[in-house]
Amino acid sequence: MEDLSLPKIDYAAVAPMLILFGVACVGVLFEGVLPKAARRVTQLVLALLGLVAALSVIVWQSDTRVLTAGGAVAIDGPTLFLQGAIIVLGIMALLLIGDRAMEHGGAFVAQAAITVGSEADRKQAVKEQGATEVYPLTVFAIAGMLLFVAANDLLTMFVALEVFSLPLYLLCALARRRRLLSQEAALKYFLLGAYASAFFLFGVALVYGFAGGVEFGTIHDSVTESTQSTVLLYAGLAMIAIGLLFKAAAAPFHVWTPDVYQGAPTPITGLMAACTKVAAFGGLLRVLYVGFDGVAWDYTPILGVVAVLTMLIGAVLAVTQTDIKRLLAYSSIANAGYLLVGVLALSKDGLSSTMFYLVAYGFTVIAAFGVVTLVRDADGEATHLSRWAGLGRRSPLYAGIFTFILLAFAGIPLTSGFIAKFAVFGAALDSGEAWLVVFGVVTSMLLAFPYLRVVVMMWLSEPGESTPTVSIPGGLTAAALVIGVVATLVLGVAPAPLLDLTTSAADFVR
Amino acid sequence: MNALLIVVLAVPAAGAAAAALLPDRVGRIAGTVAAAVALLASLPLYRDSWFSYGPAGVRPWHEVDYSWVPALNLHFHLGVDGVSYPLVVLTALLTLLCCGFTLWRAPEPGRGNTLVALLLVIEVGILGTFLALDLVLFFVFFEVVLLPMYAVIAVWGDRDRAHAARKFVLYTLFGSVLLLVGVFTVVASAGTADIVALTGGGELSRTTQLVAFTLLAIGFAVKSPLWPLHTWLPDAHTQAPTVGSVILAGVLLKMGTYGLIRVAVGVAPEGARWAAPVLGVLAVAAIIIGSLVCLAQTELKRLIAYSSVGHMGFVLLGIATLTATGIQAALIGNVAHGVITGLLFFLAGAIKERAHTGDLAQLGGLRETAPRLAGVLGFAAIASLGLPGLAGFWGEAFAVVAAIDRGGPLWTTLGVVAAVGGALTAAYFLRLLRRVTHGPAIGSLAPPTLAPVEVAAWAPLVVLALAVGLVPGLVLGMADGPVQALLEALP
């Protein structure tokens, strides 16, 4: 029997993931050891320290370009950039998650297992502090995302997909208010996510049958050389794409998005809208650019149709929404479409502009959900749009911030939204995908209407009896808001440094 | 001197911030001072046009060029020449007058400092549009104007303001999208967004030019506005507060015609030649239809608004001829319309404020009740109908001359019909004067005299209308070189 030789691992390169998985495990231990009163602060500080440490390692390792762990993990420009983006956005989301100033006990329920509406539930709603398991769960999710964008074979990618999905399913169910809605959202997300994972796994099996391996390098070689039936290849790629497009919330795999975004606790919605999107598109980019670039001619038209459908569905349905969280959900679907336009440019410009778009959108969307957490009445967040009427009179500052954020979503110049859209559309035009750009521009205009409607409602309607007040944000939410708004402005006015960074990072290793 | 280009944009921007942040009264003063400084800074940008020899296309008198986003090849490229200089000064002047006017009286619901701040932001956008020599930068500034103008109409407007503001935004957004697609088309196929390099068509293929011109021209036609895309204009004008109407008619519409000359014609000349007959026919249709609608109007501001459609028709006819005379006519028509219609809207605002109605049937005998107001109104109306010796004459007359010069049955017909439209213009303005200033006095105006601020705000416009009318060389002289340069670049 021959000796089992373990693959060599470049520990410095994978350190960010190790740190975060370690921190998450320590967090779980703390749950069992620490007294209740001390947990929240300790967990929050621990999680933030872990994220900052991981970010520092990424900055320190920024020139690394290696395949490690037996070729299962690729640390290259896109990996490092996307990991950095996920961590920065994760820190912002964590700030929202950690804030308890707006609501007694925070946005999370104390004991999710208690039956909704029971005597015990009423008691805990009034008295108990929110669960602190959310911090290690969030860190697990973020760590899984880091692995997801670094995965260099399909199996590692699948494992990472599950690692970041499972904590998110749980987190969705933990809302303090409207618990039934939250649990329903989590169940929907879990069931549909499980289907998507199954599709992904089945696709991996088919591709293995075609290529005889799951590493992207092997797949890339066999796409050009293999004599196997291409049915396996196309069916496999299609199923893998379904799994990834589900996470990215692209039509027709988007139906979970509005319900889950609405039901989940708002800070978690922010985390999903920003970080999950980065991770999903990071994975999609690597699969399409590294593994299957040999069949680009075959999948571009199909994914192009998906992109157009996504933009249209997101934009058209956003017009009809009456709930701010659902509106933002449909806007996030439409933005997935714009990101797909960038992905389908299939060029270095396409890669760098997609990465820029992900970061720009992430900052803006977390700030948007941050504002949503502030607009509240006695029943918690007031998310129905009619309740936002006249908000501009009640609190011009937050209405102004939200207006700015919506303008960024609409892609008005001097916000990051304009530069990001300009970059992805430019890249797509250079690659000859003019039809995608035409749809992109037309849907952007459509999508501007729901945003403008909210702006008009906030500023031009008279505040009524039911206009909720805006809570003074706690320090953490305020910090996240400031970061988001400043980033949106700076990336709109002086985007050159980040664009340079994405350009220099836009090289996959194979 | 080049740094002045930056100053002209930075000062109103800073003024806007100051006006928004400071308390009402102080904010208004700060904003007005900023507008005055911007006007002073824009004046020395002038340079004798004999200077401008060089390659065909655009020869800026002054320019600054910074790399803004290298990765996307965006440049912060500003420049001024004889085509843009009169419009820049006009913008700075009208904004100053509007800010000064607001200093004296802010329309309902008050908050004059916010209004001044928005006016200054609009000024930044308009000036930037006139100064930009980079296509993407041009688009960025073009967009900056949209939302503040929307807010001005929607907050300080008349009773039906929400509807008018929404219509304005929808139309303008539609135009912007086409403009953006056009910009994308040009930039993607030429590989550069530099207007100086792009002027003359350069490497763009004929098909690209046709597509680009169509997109850009429709985008600008919404803003200008060209019939049949004009329907937002009467509503917006009628509902906007006086200062909003003045800026809207005075300079905002000029972004469309300026863009048509500098961007659409400059960048896609073959497309322009191809589309010129259509543009000409639509322009003449605008003249005739605008005049006929004016003849049937019963509301003062609405009448003036529709007269804008007719006047911009003359400007567009001049551009459509693609001759030196025609473009010169368009440029002077632009400036004249800005001055005169700005004045007309100030007057309409003053009358509506005193009489509390704009209904022509309920106005009358202004000559007796408020003789000075009636005098200025008469002057402005006569200037607008194109009496020789006043500013309105040159643009209309030479647009017709250019069309006739162009020759051929189509252009001759267009010239003749446009001339008939000119006569109709006279008819409806005289009807306006008969209804408003003559006839029996209906109701009383309070106060019948003019406030000093009103005199101060109107005097520069009256003087300019007279000066441009008597010495058209003021505008034509400096535009001569640039227009020649532009036409040399056309194939």
Side-chain angles (χ1 to χ4, degrees), chain A residues 114-133:
Chain A
I114 292 179
T115 315
V116 179
S118 64
E119 185 62 31
D121 186 39
R122 276 193 288 279
K123 208 176 281 174
Q124 79 161 354
V126 187
K127 279 191 190 153
E128 303 266 337
Q129 298 290 322
T132 46
E133 288 91 345

Side-chain angles (χ1 to χ4, degrees), chain A residues 254-255 258 311-322 326-327 330-331 333 446-447 450 453:
Chain A
H254 67 283
V255 282
M311 294 186 285
L312 279 177
I313 287 183
V316 171
L317 291 185
V319 176
T320 64
Q321 296 310 310
T322 53
R326 290 183 82 86
L327 194 151
Y330 278 104
S331 126
I333 293 172
L446 264 182
L447 202 52
R453 197 161 54 109

Side-chain angles (χ1 to χ4, degrees), chain A residues 407 441 445 449 456 493 495 499, chain B residues 68-69 147 150 154 169-170 177 181:
Chain A
L407 295 184
V441 173
M445 188 186 79
F449 296 142
V456 170
V493 177
L499 273 169
Chain B
W68 179 27
V69 187
L147 288 166
Y150 170 77
V169 155
L170 292 187
V177 167
V181 178

